[in-house]
């Protein structure tokens, strides 16, 4: 067939009106109406129901990992470092453990970026911020349980008072928690990870290498001043959490 014949047939095909199958048209129209009705009848789940689903989906993984960490800490404390325990050494141990408890959350908060799931989460039914909120709640429950177990073990197996144990666990944890929540809401994911790991590593070295002859600084009591500091740190954590949920460009930073 010549090129002119092909061109002529194409012009004729394009200029002639396309036929419409009435049966297929009615079938497509009916399916579209059914889908529209389903969309109108669809019940949106609440955040509580969504959180419950997230607990079933990722909660057991997060809490399982935190439980393994707690068992490892218990084994190390009981069998490796349990030979000679001085008050200063026990204080350093609690300060470091409070930071390590928070550090278990960092891989989970960076998981979406690590596996390049930001686009999928951004296009999901619940926004990236609500997914992050659910994860933070699940992680927070696990962290509180771990701190509670460490606190109970300290009270039962050592001579350290409950007020001092509470002080050494709460202040470092709230400090790194507030700082890392600030970085999570204001920094890009990679900068958040580097900053959080750097801060936690610095505090671990500071606590571990703190001179023993400065033991007076490691023998504080949970006085009114420290209670006020803990309240301020807790308020800062709550304020940063609220900023992430309501005002932070978290989704945009995840995609950057």
């Amino acid at each position: 067939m010549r090129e002119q014949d092909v061109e002529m047939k194409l012009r004729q095909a394009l200029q002639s009106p396309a036929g419409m199958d009435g049966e297929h048209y009615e079938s497509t129209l009916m399916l579209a109406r059914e889908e529209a009705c389903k969309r109108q009848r669809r019940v949106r789940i609440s955040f509580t129901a969504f959180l419950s689903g997230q607990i079933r989906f990722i909660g057991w993984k997060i809490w399982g990992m935190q439980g393994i960490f707690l068992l490892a800490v218990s084994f190390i404390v009981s069998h490796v470092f349990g030979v000679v325990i001085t008050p200063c050494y026990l204080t350093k141990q609690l300060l470091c453990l409070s930071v390590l408890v928070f550090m278990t959350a960092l891989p989970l908060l960076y998981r979406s970026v690590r596996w390049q799931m930001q686009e999928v989460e951004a296009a999901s039914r619940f926004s990236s911020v609500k997914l992050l909120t659910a994860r933070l709640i699940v992680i927070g429950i696990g962290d509180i349980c771990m701190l509670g177990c460490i606190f109970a073990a300290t009270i039962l197996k050592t001579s350290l008072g409950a007020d001092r144990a509470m002080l050494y666990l709460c202040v470092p944890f709230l400090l790194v928690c507030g700082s890392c929540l600030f970085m999570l809401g204001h920094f890009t994911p990679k900068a958040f990870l580097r900053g959080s790991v750097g801060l936690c590593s610095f505090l671990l070295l500071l606590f571990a290498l703190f001179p023993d002859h400065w033991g007076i600084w490691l023998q504080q009591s949970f006085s009114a001043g420290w209670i006020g500091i803990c309240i301020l740190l807790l308020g800062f954590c709550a304020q940063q959490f609220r900023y992430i949920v309501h005002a932070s460009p978290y989704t945009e930073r995840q995609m950057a």
Side-chain angles (χ1 to χ4, degrees):
M1 183 179 293
R2 295 180 305 173
E3 183 177 350
Q4 292 81 358
D5 296 335
V6 174
E7 184 178 354
M8 184 179 63
K9 288 184 177 293
L10 286 174
R11 288 181 181 276
Q12 290 176 354
L14 291 174
Q15 291 175 0
S16 60
M20 180 179 295
D21 191 332
E23 183 180 351
H24 288 170
Y25 172 77
E26 292 295 335
S27 176
T28 304
L29 185 61
M30 183 176 63
L31 291 174
R33 288 174 177 170
E34 289 179 359
E35 186 62 28
C37 291
K38 289 180 182 179
R39 187 177 183 86
Q40 291 178 355
R41 293 195 302 265
R42 185 180 298 167
V43 179
R44 296 185 63 86
I45 64 174
S46 63
F47 179 76
T48 303
F50 171 72
L51 177 61
S52 177
Q54 287 294 301
I55 289 175
R56 291 194 302 268
F57 181 65
I58 63 172
W60 65 274
K61 298 179 183 179
I62 295 174
W63 293 338
M65 189 183 73
Q66 291 174 328
I68 292 173
F69 167 79
L70 190 61
L71 290 175
V73 167
S74 176
F75 176 81
I76 293 172
V77 171
S78 301
H79 295 83
V80 179
F81 300 121
V83 179
V84 179
I85 298 180
T86 62
C88 289
Y89 178 81
L90 182 59
T91 299
K92 292 181 181 181
Q93 199 174 77
L94 291 178
L95 292 171
C96 291
L97 284 177
S98 64
V99 177
L100 289 173
V101 165
F102 179 83
M103 288 188 73
T104 60
L106 296 181
L108 304 171
L109 295 176
Y110 191 71
R111 182 171 177 267
S112 298
V113 179
R114 171 67 179 82
W115 298 107
Q116 298 181 354
M117 294 293 292
Q118 311 98 296
E119 293 86 355
V120 176
E121 292 183 354
S124 62
R125 186 175 179 183
F126 279 85
S127 64
S128 299
V129 174
K130 290 187 178 179
L131 286 169
L132 174 66
T133 303
R135 287 176 186 159
L136 289 175
I137 292 174
V138 174
I139 291 170
I141 293 173
D143 286 348
I144 291 174
C145 291
M146 283 197 294
L147 290 174
C149 291
I150 295 173
F151 174 78
T154 302
I155 297 304
L156 294 175
K157 296 185 178 182
T158 69
S159 59
L160 196 67
D163 59 335
R164 292 176 61 190
M166 181 72 72
L167 172 66
Y168 302 144
L169 288 173
C170 286
V171 173
F173 180 81
L174 292 174
L175 177 63
V176 295
C177 183
S179 301
C180 292
L181 284 176
F182 175 84
M183 288 185 278
L184 183 63
H186 293 81
F187 295 175
T188 62
K190 291 184 179 179
F192 157 73
L193 183 64
R194 287 194 292 263
S196 299
V197 172
L199 174 64
C200 293
S201 300
F202 170 76
L203 290 177
L204 287 174
L205 288 174
L206 178 65
F207 296 147
L209 301 178
F210 199 83
D212 289 342
H213 60 273
W214 290 0
I216 187 173
W217 294 100
L218 299 176
Q219 298 178 14
Q220 301 290 317
S221 61
F222 209 7
S223 61
W226 283 114
I227 293 175
I229 291 174
C230 287
I231 293 174
L232 289 176
L233 290 174
L234 185 61
F236 181 72
C237 292
Q239 191 264 341
Q240 292 305 310
F241 181 79
R242 185 177 183 278
Y243 172 77
I244 292 174
V245 173
H246 295 289
S248 173
Y250 174 77
T251 303
E252 292 78 1
R253 295 187 186 278
Q254 288 289 104
M255 305 294 288

